[in-house]
Amino acid sequence: MKGKILVTGGTGYIGSHTVVELQNAGYEVVIIDNLSNSNIEVLDGIEKITGVRPIFVKADCTDINALTKLFEENPGINGIINFAASKAVGESVQKPLLYYRNNLVTLINLLELMPKYGTKGIVFSSSCTVYGEPDKNPVDENAPIKKATSPYGNTKQISEEIITDYIHSGAPIKSVILRYFNPVGAHPSAEIGELPNGVPQNLIPYLTQTAIGIRKELSVFGNDYNTPDGSCIRDFINVVDLAKAHVTALERMLEDKSEETLEIFNLGTGVGLSVLELINSFERATGVKVPHKIVGRRSGDIEKVWADPAKANNVLGWKATTSIDDTMRSAWNWQLKLRERGIM
Ligand code: UD1
C-alpha cells in the first residue's frame, strides 16, 4: 500500500474516476461524501473496475465533528484530494450562501484538521473559471486572475487564496491546486460516469440526453462569437486523463519530488474546440445524430478559453492522451448504460 488518501466528494463525477486511478496505483482510499449530487451505487462501479471497494463515510465535510470522527477512525491519512463542492454556476447566483458555506467551510475544516492528524498534503480542485475571459489563449498559470462572475467562481478564487495564505503562514502542510478546463466523457468500462441531477446545465450531459431522446433538441448558445464558426471554444479534457493527473500530482507532493510547498497546474489538452465542432465529433464518433438549434447567447459565458498545459506536461510528466472521438464514445456508452439500467 502506498498510503491512505481521503477523497472528499469521492462518489461524484471527477472524484469517482480519481478513486479508480488511486486504487489502480496502489493507494488505500477513504471517501467522504454527503451524496447530495451522487449515488451510493457509484461504489459498485468503482469495485467492478478495480476489484476494491473503498471505505465510505456518508457525511458532510462542513460538519467538523463528523470529519474529526473520520480522522479518528481512519488513522494515518497521508493526503487529501478535495472534490467536495457545489458546482452549478446558475444555482450559485440564486443561493450564494449555500455555495460559500459548502465550498469554503469544507476547505477550512480540512485545512484545520490536517496538522492535527499529521496529514501532509491536499490536492485542490480548482477551475479555469479563475481566468475569466482571458486576454489571450492558450492560458498559462501566470495569466491574470479576473474578477469572478458568479459566487461559484468566487469560491474557487477564495479557496485558492485560503490555501495560499495558510501555507504562507507556515502551516506544516503542502498543496497542489489543479485548474481544470472542461472535463468530459466517462470511464471506458461505462461503469462510472457523470450523473446529472435534473435538467443538465453542462454541454455533454445535455448532448447525450438529446442523442438518446430524453431531450428534444440541444440549444447551442450563440453563433455570433468572435470564433471561426461563431460558437464558443473550450478545452474539453477526458475525465480519466484528468483523474490520472491527480495521482501524479499527489505522488509528487507526498514524496517530496518538489521543493515547493504550493504548486499550481492547468489541466487541459491545449486544444480549443468549438461547441459545434464538439457536436460534429460526437456524431462522427458514434454515428448518432444530435438534433440541435442555434439560440441566443447564455449570459456569463466565456467566448473562448483553452489551456497551455506545458507546465503539467513538463513538470508533472502528465499529458492528456485520449482523443476527443474516444471521449465522445465513452460519454455515449455511459448514456446507453444509464438507459440499460433504467436510470434515464
Ligand atoms: C462552467 C463553468 C466552469 C465550471 C463548469 C462545470 C464558468 C465561466 N464556467 O463551464 O467554471 O467548472 O461549468 O460546471 O463559470 N452550451 C451550449 N448548450 C448547452 C450547454 C452548454 O451551447 O445546453 C455551451 C456553453 O454556452 C459553453 C459550452 O457549451 O460555450 C460549455 O458549457 P458548459 O458545459 O456549461 O461549461 P462552461 O460554461 O464552460
Side-chain angles (χ1 to χ4, degrees), residues 20-34:
V20 164
E21 297 308 320
L22 284 168
Q23 294 193 157
N24 283 344
Y27 288 97
E28 183 184 354
V29 173
V30 179
I31 293 176
I32 179 169
D33 203 303
N34 63 5

Side-chain angles (χ1 to χ4, degrees), residues 122-251:
I122 181 164
V123 176
F124 180 72
S125 290
S126 190
S127 164
C128 70
T129 191
V130 301
Y131 301 120
E133 183 77 61
D135 302 327
K136 60 179 171 59
N137 281 294
V139 183
D140 70 23
E141 291 81 354
N142 297 316
I145 302 298
K146 298 277 176 71
K147 185 171 166 39
T149 53
S150 71
Y152 158 77
N154 208 20
T155 67
K156 292 299 172 191
Q157 293 192 4
I158 298 171
S159 294
E160 291 198 1
E161 288 172 358
I162 290 173
I163 293 169
T164 307
D165 290 346
Y166 190 47
I167 288 184
H168 285 166
S169 77
I173 65 157
K174 301 175 81 177
S175 182
V176 179
I177 291 171
L178 300 176
R179 293 177 180 156
Y180 314 149
F181 282 67
N182 285 58
V184 292
H187 196 271
S189 65
E191 293 295 348
I192 54 174
E194 187 172 9
L195 235 183
N197 250 340
V199 181
Q201 305 298 312
N202 294 117
L203 178 60
I204 288 299
Y206 205 104
L207 186 157
T208 57
Q209 289 192 9
T210 305
I212 208 162
I214 299 170
R215 315 274 159 212
K216 195 166 138 270
E217 170 170 69
L218 170 70
S219 295
V220 174
F221 298 136
N223 70 344
D224 56 352
Y225 285 99
N226 182 23
T227 59
D229 66 22
S231 64
C232 292
I233 295 181
R234 294 290 183 275
D235 185 334
F236 297 100
I237 173 166
N238 179 277
V239 68
V240 176
D241 286 342
L242 185 76
K244 287 178 177 162
H246 290 75
V247 180
T248 313
L250 181 85
E251 224 156 66

